[in-house]
Amino acid sequence: MPETILLDITVVVLLGIGAQWMAWRFQLPSILLLLVVGFLAGPVLGVLDPQSLQGDWLFAFVSLSIGIILFEGGLSLRLSELRAVGSAVFNLITVGVLITWGMGAATAHYILGFNVSLAVLIGAILTVTGPTVVVPLLRHVRPKGRVSTIAKWEGITIDPVGAILAVLVLETLLLLNDPQGTGASASAAVEHVIVGLGLEIFVSLGVSVAATMLLVFILRRRMVPDFLRNPVTLMVVVVAFVVANVLQHEAGLLTTTLMGIALANQPYVSVQRIVEFKENLQVLLIGSLFVLLSARLELTALNYIDLNVLVFLGILVILVRPLAVLLSTIGTKLEWEEKVFLSWMAPRGIVAAAVASLFAYQLRPVYPDAIDGMVPVVFAIIVGTVAIYGLTAAPLAQWLDLADPDPEGLLFVGADDWVRRVARHVQELGFTVALIDNNPEHVQKARDEGLMARQANALSESVLDEVDLSGIGRLLITIPNDEVASLTALHFSDVFDTTDIYQLAAQPDSRHGREGVMPKHLRGRPLFGEGTSYQSLSAHVERGDAVKVLKLADDFSGEEPKEYYTYDDLSTQYDDYTVVPLFILRNGGNELVIVSEMSQFSLRPSERLVALVGPAAEPNESNSRRESMADRTPGDVVFEVEDALTGDGDGMRSS
């Protein structure tokens, strides 16, 4: 028996993490794979026994896990973001919820044939979206401006709101259909709802404030060592969730959400390490929850999926959501493109799945014949909305000009003289460029030169929210301090994938054996090659080197070119210290590749090389180039300057 339980736990973890890896590998919505994998492992293949996944233990685990997930979501919310979008967010989680509830209930009754009571409950359950689906989708789409903030706030705060609404509806149904035959009157039910809502808010506020103050006090006074900070935080969150639930049914979800928001916005202790821990825990919890909930379905659940369910899904997506957004954004300053995008952003997630499964279990004695169809319908809506929004949100955002299909822009951390010169050249090539620097003089010079720059501390917790990353896809850390640069790489790993974070070494030996060198896992990828450093690039610019665009010489094109040229090929033509490769322009100049590991340097004849070229290596001087062509061995590469900055670095001229 213990071996069987251990095997089931192992299968759940393996499937949960494996499905999310496959989703990342093939660029698919992870929830789709999690639900499919869970259903296959449960009722289809029998790897997980659906009958063993019934009972109170599962729902207790699911409820607590959702509370932790909402706490992690709350940690990503900054109250400063509400200055511009607060009214829209408030309307969406109030007016929008009521519209979705009412229209969803009516559609469930008239299209799917559920009785009025269950239809009202289904409408309440489907008001929630959730951070488990919205946040990854936003991270994938990366929409510009306000819509990302609005969608994030709505997705996180609507979960406890929708869950509380669904709980109040459930309790009302149980009150009106008391198995003992003492059902309450309608007025008593309304009174119960009002009192229950008041208690939910009162208990959640009280417990969340008390728990947050306790946690801040413990962390600020350093009453626990560093290795216990995250476990103690998790302990306080779990205790707060349970206490709130004991005092008022299902008040724990709102409590943990408020705790996350309060902790993220207090100025006394840093929450960065807590956020990282909770994000890792969230991946495990989400994978396990979706696998468990989908595995407990029966094969007979497929009997409830018919054309009417597809019509129900279509009405929710095409009519209900757009109407809710339209009415909720009346009087706001949102553009029509932003409203359209928000109208196409309401995927359902783990809260809807968990609440539907729990309520079906509790309502079976009341509606023994009608309740079986509720869970399959809700799961079908989850799959349908995730598939529709997950596969179409990115193209829609691009069509509305709210997102870039594959952001090629660069964010420079540091704005020294040579950094601004490189950034300005990249911007003139047509790519988005932004700079942040803590030095106000550097920032002002960058702005005077037409660059988008912001004064900010790269290690501050607010910098990730303050910097506009629209069109930005890569991070280039160009500061003369290896330790601060490494901390910056770690800090920005919440936003950029590690493959898109590049770090310039401070000194030539920073990456090669110097005592105290930062280990590889604490650094970004080499920027402009392993042997290039901040010190060496500064020296190049000080002696007069200029950023130039090189192409394969016309005289050389008559010979049979190689398929691609390596850095060694370039080195045979020019000395390493006079030509420093920076970027490669591909696909007709539409793709900017950052030169990193020199062992992977690959330049095709149709591509152009952006490099820092010294005065002693002027490849566009015809005599020297012809002499070099006469002297070189077959197969060596010869470049000429296509575009070059003028001597003072203030413009570009074509060859």
Side-chain angles (χ1 to χ4, degrees):
M1 187 66 175
E3 290 76 12
T4 303
I5 297 175
L6 286 175
L7 180 61
D8 288 343
I9 294 174
T10 303
V11 169
V12 169
V13 173
L14 179 64
L15 294 179
I17 302 299
Q20 291 182 83
W21 177 83
M22 290 179 61
W24 166 81
R25 179 66 178 81
F26 297 104
Q27 296 295 301
L28 296 172
S30 60
I31 289 180
L32 288 181
L33 287 183
L34 287 169
L35 291 175
V36 170
V37 165
F39 189 73
L40 290 175
V44 176
L45 301 177
V47 178
L48 296 173
D49 183 10
Q51 295 302 320
S52 66
L53 299 177
Q54 312 291 336
D56 293 337
W57 72 269
L58 175 63
F59 298 114
F61 170 72
V62 169
S63 182
L64 179 59
S65 299
I66 294 174
I68 295 173
I69 291 171
L70 291 180
F71 172 73
E72 191 274 334
L75 287 173
S76 67
L77 300 179
R78 295 289 184 272
L79 293 178
S80 58
E81 297 173 334
L82 292 180
R83 296 191 187 104
V85 301
S87 59
V89 172
F90 179 78
N91 291 342
L92 284 169
I93 64 174
T94 53
V95 177
V97 165
L98 293 176
I99 293 172
T100 304
W101 180 26
M103 296 188 67
T107 308
H109 175 63
Y110 290 107
I111 300 297
L112 300 180
F114 284 100
N115 61 52
V116 174
S117 299
L118 286 181
V120 170
L121 181 61
I122 291 173
I125 293 173
L126 293 178
T127 59
V128 299
T129 52
T132 58
V133 283
V134 172
V135 174
L137 191 53
L138 291 175
R139 190 178 296 120
H140 171 67
V141 177
R142 302 183 79 167
K144 302 176 183 177
R146 297 171 293 188
V147 288
S148 179
T149 302
I150 295 173
K152 180 180 69 172
W153 268 89
E154 181 198 11
I156 293 172
T157 57
I158 205 173
D159 264 8
V161 173
I164 290 173
L165 174 63
V167 167
L168 293 175
V169 172
L170 171 69
E171 291 182 346
T172 302
L173 294 181
L174 293 175
L175 190 64
L176 293 173
N177 297 275
D178 190 341
Q180 304 298 326
T182 58
S185 62
S187 60
V190 172
E191 180 183 353
H192 175 77
V193 169
I194 295 175
V195 172
L197 181 60
L199 287 174
E200 293 276 357
I201 297 174
F202 177 78
V203 170
S204 298
L205 282 173
V207 175
S208 62
V209 169
T212 303
M213 291 177 63
L214 173 63
L215 186 58
V216 170
F217 177 81
I218 292 174
L219 297 180
R220 190 181 185 188
R221 293 297 184 93
R222 301 188 181 277
M223 299 174 67
V224 295
D226 286 347
F227 74 93
L228 284 179
R229 288 171 66 93
N230 289 335
V232 167
T233 301
L234 180 61
M235 177 194 71
V236 174
V237 172
V238 170
V239 170
F241 176 86
V242 173
V243 169
N245 266 8
V246 170
L247 295 177
Q248 177 63 25
H249 186 50
E250 294 301 336
L253 297 182
L254 182 57
T255 299
T256 56
T257 305
L258 293 176
M259 275 191 67
I261 296 174
L263 197 61
N265 290 275
Q266 53 78 34
Y268 304 108
V269 296
S270 172
V271 297
Q272 185 60 38
R273 293 179 62 183
I274 297 174
V275 171
E276 294 172 359
F277 170 71
K278 291 296 185 297
E279 286 179 345
N280 295 333
L281 185 61
Q282 184 193 61
V283 171
L284 178 62
L285 291 177
I286 290 175
S288 301
L289 290 179
F290 274 108
V291 170
L292 285 171
L293 292 175
S294 56
R296 66 185 299 275
L297 293 174
E298 302 286 350
L299 275 176
T300 55
L302 296 176
N303 298 333
Y304 296 95
I305 310 302
D306 54 16
L307 182 60
N308 288 337
V309 174
L310 297 180
V311 173
F312 181 50
L313 172 63
I315 292 175
L316 289 177
V317 172
I318 298 174
L319 180 61
V320 176
R321 175 62 180 180
L323 183 61
V325 171
L326 178 63
L327 296 179
S328 298
T329 54
I330 292 177
T332 65
K333 297 181 180 180
L334 294 180
E335 303 292 339
W336 72 267
E337 295 92 345
E338 296 172 316
K339 294 180 180 180
V340 170
F341 181 79
L342 290 173
S343 298
W344 205 253
M345 180 61 64
R348 274 63 175 184
I350 188 62
V351 174
V355 171
S357 301
L358 174 61
F359 289 3
Y361 179 74
Q362 294 180 335
L363 285 173
R364 187 168 298 281
V366 181
Y367 304 105
D369 298 325
I371 199 64
D372 288 338
M374 185 176 75
V375 176
V377 167
V378 171
F379 271 73
I381 298 304
I382 293 172
V383 172
T385 54
V386 170
I388 292 172
Y389 297 128
L391 299 176
T392 61
L396 176 65
Q398 295 159 23
W399 181 73
L400 295 171
D401 196 27
L402 291 176
D404 297 316
D406 186 15
E408 293 284 328
L410 308 178
L411 174 62
F412 288 85
V413 178
D416 207 347
D417 293 344
W418 72 265
V419 178
R420 298 196 306 272
R421 180 174 298 189
V422 173
R424 189 170 67 251
H425 196 91
V426 172
Q427 182 170 277
E428 290 171 346
L429 290 171
F431 298 96
T432 302
V433 171
L435 300 91
I436 61 174
D437 197 303
N438 209 27
N439 187 321
E441 183 180 351
H442 289 172
V443 172
Q444 188 57 50
K445 286 183 178 179
R447 291 172 178 171
D448 293 342
E449 295 170 8
L451 295 167
M452 183 172 65
R454 185 181 186 92
Q455 183 181 350
N457 186 337
L459 299 180
S460 71
E461 294 188 16
S462 60
V463 68
L464 299 179
D465 302 311
E466 294 173 353
V467 178
D468 183 10
L469 296 178
S470 303
I472 302 294
R474 278 82 59 85
L475 177 71
L476 278 62
I477 305 173
T478 55
I479 53 179
N481 186 304
D482 287 324
E483 288 73 18
V484 175
S486 295
L487 290 174
T488 302
L490 290 174
H491 188 45
F492 278 83
S493 62
D494 292 336
V495 178
F496 297 94
D497 193 87
T498 54
T499 58
D500 295 322
I501 297 177
Y502 298 83
Q503 177 180 338
L504 185 66
Q507 300 177 13
D509 59 348
S510 292
R511 290 181 178 269
H512 304 288
R514 181 170 59 88
E515 184 177 355
V517 67
M518 298 295 289
K520 287 185 177 181
H521 71 280
L522 297 179
R523 300 196 307 251
R525 296 178 62 186
L527 179 59
F528 308 144
E530 298 91 334
T532 307
S533 67
Y534 183 97
Q535 191 179 77
S536 64
L537 287 179
S538 298
H540 278 292
V541 174
E542 286 177 2
R543 75 176 190 183
D545 291 18
V547 179
K548 300 182 179 182
V549 180
L550 307 177
K551 68 175 182 178
L552 196 66
D554 293 335
D555 303 46
F556 182 63
S557 59
E559 297 184 15
E560 186 67 28
K562 295 183 179 181
E563 181 181 354
Y564 64 88
Y565 297 92
T566 66
Y567 181 67
D568 290 336
D569 294 325
L570 178 64
S571 301
T572 59
Q573 183 64 31
Y574 302 112
D575 185 84
D576 292 341
Y577 293 97
T578 56
V579 175
V580 180
L582 305 177
F583 308 97
I584 296 175
L585 290 170
R586 291 178 176 166
N587 296 330
N590 295 318
E591 181 182 357
L592 185 71
V593 178
I594 300 171
V595 174
S596 183
E597 296 86 356
M598 285 306 181
S599 60
Q600 300 178 15
F601 183 90
S602 173
L603 182 71
R604 293 175 174 80
S606 61
E607 299 169 348
R608 294 176 292 165
L609 177 68
V610 181
L612 193 62
V613 181
E618 289 289 353
N620 62 334
E621 295 180 359
S622 58
N623 291 336
S624 62
R625 182 163 57 81
R626 293 181 190 279
E627 290 175 4
S628 65
M629 288 181 64
D631 296 338
R632 67 182 173 82
T633 58
D636 286 348
V637 60
V638 176
F639 287 106
E640 65 181 5
V641 173
E642 178 186 83
D643 301 307
L645 292 171
T646 59
D648 57 5
D650 289 333
M652 295 183 68
R653 67 175 186 268
S654 299
S655 60

